[in-house]
Amino acid sequence: MSQQDPFEKYLRAGFSGSITRRNALKLGGSLAFASTAGSLLAACGGSSSSATSSSSTADKWKQFSGTTLNFISENTSPSSAIAANSKPFTDLTGIKVNIQQMELGALVQKVALDFGSGNAQYHVIYADPYQVLAPFSKGLVDLNQFINDGSLPAVPKGINDFIPAQLEGAGRFMDPKALYALPYDCPTMIWIYRKDLFDKYGSQMQKDLGFDPTPSDNSTWEQYYQIADWFNKNAKADVPYGTGHQAKQYDSLMCDFSNVLWAYGGQYFKDEQTVGTIGTDKPGACMLDQPAAIQAATFYQKLLKIAHPGSTSWDWDGVGKALAEGQIAMAPEWHEYAASVEGGKFGGKWGYARLPKGPARSANIYGGTGIGINKNASDQLQKAAWLFVVWATSPDTQVMDLKSKVGGGTPTRTSVYELPEVQAAMKQNPSPMPNILSATAVNEAWKPENVGMRPKIPTWNQCDTIIFTELSKMLVANQAPDVTMKNIKAGIDKANKV
């Protein structure tokens, strides 16, 4: 960057002072923001040797200076990291961003009300593919209009740098050309376990159970059950329970169960791969009354009977805390909880693997989300929001997320995983990027044969509630698995007018 670059003073100002209000980021995270700004300027045609080009770049990033944006997000790690240090974006653009984080259910309600009012209180939307994008895609801008607008900053490295399955899963709905969101986070459920306990008890478990208990691609859900039961009966001095689950009567229960459903060969709808990626408004009849789904429900009920009793009151945060506090030896959990557990008293003692396989396959539910722009916002606010969307999903901001002490997210871009410092961080323990320690496992989970994509349909909010309500009856009131599956099918078919 040349001395004549008008942004240099802003970049320096953003990184020379004290860290922002949460005092949360390492200096490395701040430097990543500096790199981000430089990369973004270059992507827009900036040149370190051309004052004219630099001026043109300045115009692109400063043209909406003085604007205030409202970003509504689920309470996720990437949003926490950005909220902890959004000053560099403000310095770069002159735009202030108010970030409001909340539970997903509350977010869905607020977004629905905002879209319905037409007032655009929120300009940048955390567009969960299933609970926001599918039912409310008409309220979001097709981002292609900004991608093709030369007066606006370009997406660094282009949209092809996003992991393809995530770009489709988080960004598109029904129309394969329209793009409503850029991939922002990518939580995926994997097997998180106390490696030190498996090392300590592994030989005895293998002797007693007749198989190697070390989590691997060969591990099955039935073996997972036996391992958990063994810990319950033989390792109380070190850990109260073998397993725990996010089985609260909430969206988390649907997620936890879906891993088992797909592993056993069950599915919500026919042609589930298409229904779960590009999405549809006509999914057809629900398939949960089929034998594979009932078998999965029967196993899941059995598994939860030996799980930590707190499981039926836990969502993903409850499981994360139970792992970090040593209440359970292992759990299916979102991979981005690696930063949380590695930062706890058992840091350095964790292992990560894809989830066990069932009779059909290993299935690891993808929970990633993109960020989009409210179509009801004014033209100026939409374009200002585009600047934030580009910046927040840029490779260098994602590196900052990895370094964040508040447990930032993991990358949605291929190029970030290829960076030497990220590759090195995968091999360090403790790591300066703790979430990246789960990368090997999650990359296995993202393979087409292993990833689990829930249905992307407009009625999913209603279907999700039917699923976790009936599953809760099965777990808490001992409702029969076959009755549970048939009740869910009936409710979903009614919701979809089948």
Side-chain angles (χ1 to χ4, degrees), residues 92-376:
L92 177 64
T93 64
I95 298 170
K96 179 182 177 182
V97 182
N98 298 319
I99 302 176
Q100 187 176 358
Q101 297 188 73
M102 64 196 68
E103 187 180 69
L104 181 59
L107 177 143
V108 172
Q109 291 179 0
K110 286 183 177 290
V111 169
L113 290 171
D114 194 37
F115 283 170
S117 72
N119 294 326
Q121 178 182 353
Y122 304 107
H123 312 116
V124 181
I125 308 292
Y126 182 87
D128 179 272
Y130 316 98
Q131 300 197 41
V132 174
L133 175 56
F136 306 123
S137 61
K138 292 182 180 179
L140 296 167
V141 176
D142 181 350
L143 300 180
N144 285 305
Q145 70 182 71
F146 303 128
I147 292 172
N148 298 322
D149 187 340
S151 71
L152 297 171
V155 176
K157 297 184 181 293
I159 64 169
N160 290 331
D161 187 43
F162 290 103
I163 295 169
Q166 296 181 18
L167 186 68
E168 184 174 47
R172 304 190 192 278
F173 180 62
M174 293 184 64
D175 183 346
K177 294 182 179 179
L179 183 64
Y180 298 107
L182 294 186
Y184 177 68
D185 63 17
C186 53
T188 303
M189 288 186 76
I190 59 171
W191 186 350
I192 300 182
Y193 62 95
R194 283 277 299 281
K195 188 176 181 296
D196 61 319
L197 295 180
F198 277 80
D199 289 342
K200 179 177 180 178
Y201 293 109
S203 296
Q204 188 60 49
M205 271 196 284
Q206 183 165 355
K207 180 180 177 181
D208 293 346
L209 299 176
F211 60 86
D212 184 355
T214 306
S216 73
D217 290 350
N218 295 319
S219 301
T220 68
W221 273 112
E222 184 58 41
Q223 289 175 339
Y224 183 97
Y225 172 90
Q226 293 180 50
I227 293 167
D229 192 48
W230 192 95
F231 272 118
N232 288 352
K233 296 173 180 175
N234 298 282
K236 290 290 187 184
D238 288 311
V239 64
Y241 288 90
T243 187
H245 295 262
Q246 47 187 266
K248 176 182 178 180
Q249 187 176 326
Y250 180 58
D251 178 64
S252 57
L253 174 53
M254 177 280 301
C255 294
D256 197 62
F257 170 71
S258 292
N259 298 310
V260 176
L261 172 71
W262 295 321
Y264 274 75
Q267 53 185 349
Y268 289 106
F269 299 99
K270 188 178 180 181
D271 194 21
E272 194 140 273
Q273 181 65 23
T274 299
V275 175
T277 52
I278 195 66
T280 181
D281 59 358
K282 294 180 175 129
C286 178
M287 305 289 287
L288 288 183
D289 61 340
Q290 299 301 302
I294 295 172
Q295 184 184 7
T298 300
F299 172 80
Y300 189 71
Q301 185 185 54
K302 181 179 79 166
L303 177 62
L304 267 291
K305 285 181 178 178
I306 66 162
H308 193 296
S311 295
T312 53
S313 64
W314 290 342
D315 59 8
W316 34 78
D317 278 337
V319 170
K321 290 176 183 177
L323 284 166
E325 293 170 0
Q327 289 295 305
I328 51 179
M330 60 184 184
E333 177 62 297
W334 301 103
H335 81 278
E336 291 182 345
Y337 275 84
S340 174
V341 298
E342 293 290 350
K345 62 181 178 179
F346 298 105
K349 298 180 179 180
W350 298 97
Y352 309 92
R354 77 176 198 199
L355 288 174
K357 62 184 180 181
R361 66 181 180 117
S362 168
N364 306 256
I365 191 169
Y366 164 76
T369 292
I371 52 174
I373 298 171
N374 193 331
K375 187 183 286 186
N376 291 326

Side-chain angles (χ1 to χ4, degrees), residues 36 39-41 43-44 61 153-162 182 389-391 393-396 413 415:
T36 299
S39 297
L40 294 176
L41 295 177
C44 295
W61 283 99
V155 176
K157 297 184 181 293
I159 64 169
N160 290 331
D161 187 43
F162 290 103
L182 294 186
V389 168
V390 169
W391 177 83
T393 62
S394 68
D396 291 295
R413 287 173 169 271
S415 63

